Amino acid sequence: MSGWLSRWWSGGTPAVEPASLRDAARLAQLHGASFHRGWGEGEFEAMLTERNTLVHRLRQGRKVIGFAVSRMAADEAEILSIAIDSNQRGRGLSRDLLLTHLGHLAGRGIRTIFLEVEENNAPARRLYERAGFGVIGRRERYYKQPGGEHLNALLMRRDLS
Ligand SMILES: CC(C)(COP(=O)(O)OP(=O)(O)OC[C@H]1O[C@@H](n2cnc3c(N)ncnc32)[C@H](O)[C@@H]1OP(=O)(O)O)[C@@H](O)C(=O)NCCC(=O)NCCS
């Protein structure tokens, strides 16, 4: 199928938009499918009502297929989570989501953004590096896996100008 035809068939070009309370259940579902310790619907509802939290959704047609969440404090922010529906990964969709999210953070006066990423998470590291984040630290055995294994975290930072 040609590019435009397959986009139309799957619901059109994906759009990055502010998430609303009505997205909480779907965001929890996406989070739970992406991380070992999933956040519940109530946690998303709380984040969606807090003024210091910024949540964007990635919507294709009527379906939400990704999200990005940051917490802001003064002129700094931390990206708490970003995920794409597992069926939609590898299409470059996270880049638009992240860059739009960063643009909104800049618009809120954020100057510096931090995040943590598991050292072996190659797609996420590549995403962040291409978006201008640099490694500023490493936390040994930071993430505990369900099987008991411990994985290292990298701390990354990007300054917005
Ligand atoms: C991380 C995540 C959001 C990336 O979303 P995505 O839309 O699938 O990412 P993309 O298709 O844009 O790929 C991102 C980059 O990683 C590269 N990549 C993808 N899979 C890879 C792999 N297995 N090894 C190395 N690089 C890989 C892509 O080529 C791309 O790099 P490029 O822009 O130079 O081509 C997605 O994989 C996800 O939801 N993962 C589970 C949740 C998660 O780990 N979130 C990050 C927590 S810090």
Side-chain angles (χ1 to χ4, degrees):
M1 223 184 295
S2 68
W4 72 266
L5 188 55
S6 77
R7 271 199 303 283
W8 172 79
W9 185 253
S10 58
T13 305
V16 181
E17 304 164 333
S20 78
L21 266 179
R22 285 190 301 185
D23 298 313
R26 173 62 179 151
L27 301 186
Q29 187 184 41
L30 284 170
H31 193 279
S34 302
F35 299 97
H36 293 304
R37 273 186 29 216
W39 296 343
E41 187 176 339
E43 285 171 275
F44 272 100
E45 281 172 352
M47 289 186 287
L48 285 160
T49 36
E50 283 161 6
R51 292 174 63 88
N52 64 343
T53 309
L54 188 65
V55 187
H56 280 100
R57 67 182 189 190
L58 181 70
R59 179 182 56 78
Q60 182 153 42
R62 297 171 65 161
K63 197 161 182 206
V64 174
I65 59 169
F67 67 83
V69 185
S70 291
R71 182 150 289 157
M72 301 169 280
D75 63 354
E76 295 185 351
E78 182 182 6
I79 296 181
L80 300 180
S81 191
I82 182 166
I84 299 285
D85 187 332
S86 57
N87 295 322
Q88 306 289 340
R89 290 181 196 156
R91 295 173 54 200
L93 295 177
S94 59
R95 191 169 159 77
D96 251 13
L97 173 62
L98 178 61
L99 294 182
T100 304
H101 190 71
L102 295 182
H104 282 264
L105 287 171
R108 301 278 194 104
I110 298 299
R111 308 281 298 267
T112 310
I113 304 179
F114 298 93
L115 61 86
E116 279 156 10
V117 58
E118 197 265 297
E119 194 172 41
N120 299 318
N121 188 344
R125 284 186 60 180
R126 178 84 185 139
L127 167 68
Y128 297 137
E129 277 156 17
R130 292 243 294 159
F133 285 83
V135 175
I136 56 164
R138 183 167 183 271
R139 291 177 176 156
E140 198 89 16
R141 297 168 53 79
Y142 187 71
Y143 300 112
K144 187 171 178 201
Q145 298 297 95
E149 188 190 3
H150 286 80
L151 301 171
N152 303 326
L154 296 179
L155 184 60
M156 301 185 86
R157 168 185 172 145
R158 181 185 159 179
D159 294 323
L160 299 175
S161 46

